[in-house]
Amino acid sequence: MEPNGALAVSILSEIAALPKILLLEDEPFILMELEFSAGDAGLTSFSVSNVAAALAILRRENIDVAILDVNLGGGATCLPVARELTGRSIPYLLHTAQPHCLGDDLQALSAPIISKPAAGSTVVSAALELMH
C-alpha cells in the first residue's frame, strides 16, 4: 500500500492529465448540468459566469476546449473570451437560446452553435468532438 502522500501525488497527477474544459455560463442550473456532464466525460472543468473570470482562467490554465454561453446578462457577451480562444487556437462552441440573434462579430467567428435547451451531455460531447 502506498503512503498517503504518494497516493495523493498519484491522484493529482491523474487529475492534471485530464483534458480541461472552460465552461462560461451565467445560468447556475445550466452551468451545474454542464459541470456534471464534463465530469462524467472525464474532463476537468473550470466553471465561471463572467468574462473577467473566464479570461483569468485562460491566463493560468492550459484549457483544451470551451463551451461559451453567448449572452451573459447585463449586455455582456462571450465575445472577448471567444476572441482569446481563437487567438490561442483553442476550440470552442457557442451555447445559446437565441442562435439567430448573434451579432456580426460572433457570427464572423464561425464557431459551432448548440441551441438551448440541450442536454449537458449533448453539449459536452459536441465540445469533445472539436478536440479531435
Side-chain angles (χ1 to χ4, degrees):
M1 183 177 267
E2 294 181 341
N4 287 340
L7 179 60
V9 168
S10 175
I11 291 170
L12 289 175
S13 295
E14 288 179 29
I15 291 171
L18 296 175
K20 296 177 182 179
I21 188 168
L22 173 65
L23 304 172
L24 173 58
E25 172 62 63
D26 68 328
E27 296 290 335
F29 291 117
I30 295 173
L31 184 58
M32 185 174 61
E33 183 180 4
L34 291 171
E35 288 172 334
F36 287 140
S37 296
D40 289 346
L43 300 167
T44 299
S45 62
F46 294 86
S47 304
V48 295
S49 61
N50 62 67
V51 168
L55 293 174
I57 293 291
L58 289 174
R59 282 192 294 273
R60 73 170 198 263
E61 296 292 337
N62 292 320
I63 297 296
D64 297 298
V65 67
I67 297 170
L68 307 179
D69 180 14
V70 172
N71 296 306
L72 301 169
T77 71
C78 68
L79 185 59
V81 179
R83 285 183 173 151
E84 183 68 20
L85 291 165
T86 299
R88 294 177 182 217
S89 299
I90 298 171
Y92 63 92
L93 62 81
L94 303 175
H95 190 219
T96 181
Q98 301 171 335
H100 304 294
C101 297
L102 296 179
D104 291 340
D105 291 335
L106 285 167
Q107 286 180 354
L109 296 172
S110 300
I113 299 168
I114 303 282
S115 296
K116 293 179 183 178
S121 59
T122 300
V123 180
V124 169
S125 291
L128 282 172
E129 288 179 21
L130 298 175
M131 291 174 50
H132 303 291

